[in-house]
Amino acid sequence: MWRPPDVLIGVSMREPEPTPADQWSTWDTEPTIPDTWPGLDLDRPEGFEISRGPVKSVGGKLVALAAAAGDFNYSRADGIGVSGMSWDLPRELHRMMAEADRAVAGFWNDVYAETGMAGILIERAAANYKLADHPLLGDAPIEELQERVDGLGNRRLRGPSDIYPNGIVPLTLSRAIDYGVDDMTAEQARRDIEILVMNGGHRDPQSYAQMAESLVDLTHTLRLRAQDLRDSPWHGDAAVKAQWALRQTYGSVTALAAVTGAMSRASSRFLEVITWCAQNFEAMADPDRSGWDEFWDFGGTADSRARDFLTQANKAFMEVYELMPKRIEENLPGLLVNDQNHLELRWRVKDIHESKLKMPRSNWDDPWMRLLERRKDAYGKAEEYYG
């Protein structure tokens, strides 16, 4: 009996599983806390209950996730190699991508270290018989987490980054720079293209793609561990604090996944445009064309042809800019904060303020100072809420 070739009898047709790119491409590059979360729904039991063995087991699984913190937590990116370029747009894009790469590396370390610290504090909660009356999770030095990570494969953690736990790195082109090419010469264009080829991008686009894929996996795992905590069972004020921490961390993980996915596409396009420039400049701009040829066929000067070429390349470089995230933002709960580093940060801010008072012209609106003040406030809130 004839049947259509795309119909299989007795075989159920399933929708294909979404790929990591399908997931991160729908997420915002700004941290977004999910609306629902295991253990924080309205039907959670009243009072306090904890099954210490299962809760401790979940904590250990979260600690194990911190072993991935060292996978991508270092950046060699800088803008020194292209700082002398005359061609403004690719120079500034290169600088911006260096800032993004440094922020991404620190952010990566922060989210995995935060996850591991959540595990340590949850383990401690399982051994704390005063939780019903004193539901603070407390704190632990990052060295304790490092010791645990050493036992999982000797992966090196770093301390909290400069944007931990709620900093922002803007990634926008400066309005003070003229991105036109009207003053460029053929010789400057040739030299700048050589500089771009030599310096390239800051990180392999595939590396960013791997980061995004790993972060998508982390979001799924965080939800599973949160459900495990709820089902252990564990409920009460301390459990709520632990679940809030995991929920907030999840929001930053989705943001970083979206950022790294966008950086993969932007850096790939950046390298494509550089390659196109290197391969086509001589033929399309023809900078070495003789003066007599220019005279007889009105072909323009070497400089004018080079500027036409750079104008075309600038359109492609603007595609890179559109692909990039416009800022990188963390919003982590602050579990890496402890009494010692909180005190050190407060004294650091105090010393800076006292130094500025002695200066004839103190710039209180300095972006770095605002970031430091924001960080100090976040450290204080983390200590107040989590102990």
Side-chain angles (χ1 to χ4, degrees), residues 177 189 202:
I177 296 175
H202 298 295

Side-chain angles (χ1 to χ4, degrees), residues 276-304:
W276 180 87
C277 289
Q279 292 176 346
N280 293 282
F281 178 67
E282 296 295 332
M284 293 179 64
D286 199 9
D288 298 320
R289 194 178 191 195
S290 72
W292 279 109
D293 288 336
E294 294 170 358
F295 175 79
W296 286 112
D297 64 8
F298 304 100
T301 65
D303 291 344
S304 67

Side-chain angles (χ1 to χ4, degrees), residues 271-332:
L271 293 175
E272 287 175 359
V273 179
I274 292 174
T275 299
W276 180 87
C277 289
Q279 292 176 346
N280 293 282
F281 178 67
E282 296 295 332
M284 293 179 64
D286 199 9
D288 298 320
R289 194 178 191 195
S290 72
W292 279 109
D293 288 336
E294 294 170 358
F295 175 79
W296 286 112
D297 64 8
F298 304 100
T301 65
D303 291 344
S304 67
R305 289 193 301 272
R307 287 193 285 268
D308 288 343
F309 180 87
L310 298 183
T311 298
Q312 185 174 347
N314 264 4
K315 295 178 181 178
F317 277 124
M318 282 305 298
E319 294 174 11
V320 176
Y321 181 60
E322 293 303 320
L323 288 170
M324 286 186 65
K326 295 304 173 278
R327 68 183 196 172
I328 296 174
E329 178 181 355
E330 282 193 19
N331 181 25
L332 290 166

Side-chain angles (χ1 to χ4, degrees), residues 28-31 96 99-100 103-104 107 163 166-172 255-256 258-260 262-263 321 324-330 374:
D28 201 324
T29 55
E30 296 182 16
M96 191 185 307
E99 291 182 3
V104 161
F107 197 167
I163 61 172
N166 66 343
I168 297 173
V169 176
L171 299 173
T172 53
L256 182 56
V259 164
T260 52
M263 288 301 299
Y321 181 60
M324 286 186 65
K326 295 304 173 278
R327 68 183 196 172
I328 296 174
E329 178 181 355
E330 282 193 19
R374 180 185 176 117

Side-chain angles (χ1 to χ4, degrees), residues 27 85 93 128 138 158 258 295 324 341 344 362 373 383 387:
W27 293 338
M85 285 179 56
L93 278 177
N128 182 3
R158 293 192 294 160
F295 175 79
M324 286 186 65
N341 59 27
E344 289 174 355
S362 296
E373 288 282 2
E383 279 287 85

Side-chain angles (χ1 to χ4, degrees), residues 114-167:
E114 190 88 332
T115 301
M117 186 59 75
I120 283 182
L121 298 180
I122 288 169
E123 286 180 334
R124 287 187 172 191
N128 182 3
Y129 287 85
K130 297 181 180 180
L131 273 184
D133 299 321
H134 303 284
L136 294 178
L137 298 180
D139 56 38
I142 197 170
E143 289 77 15
E144 182 175 341
L145 179 59
Q146 180 63 65
E147 289 179 7
R148 296 285 294 278
V149 170
D150 284 343
L152 297 170
N154 195 29
R155 303 291 186 87
R156 196 69 203 162
L157 290 172
R158 293 192 294 160
S161 74
D162 290 340
I163 61 172
Y164 178 85
N166 66 343

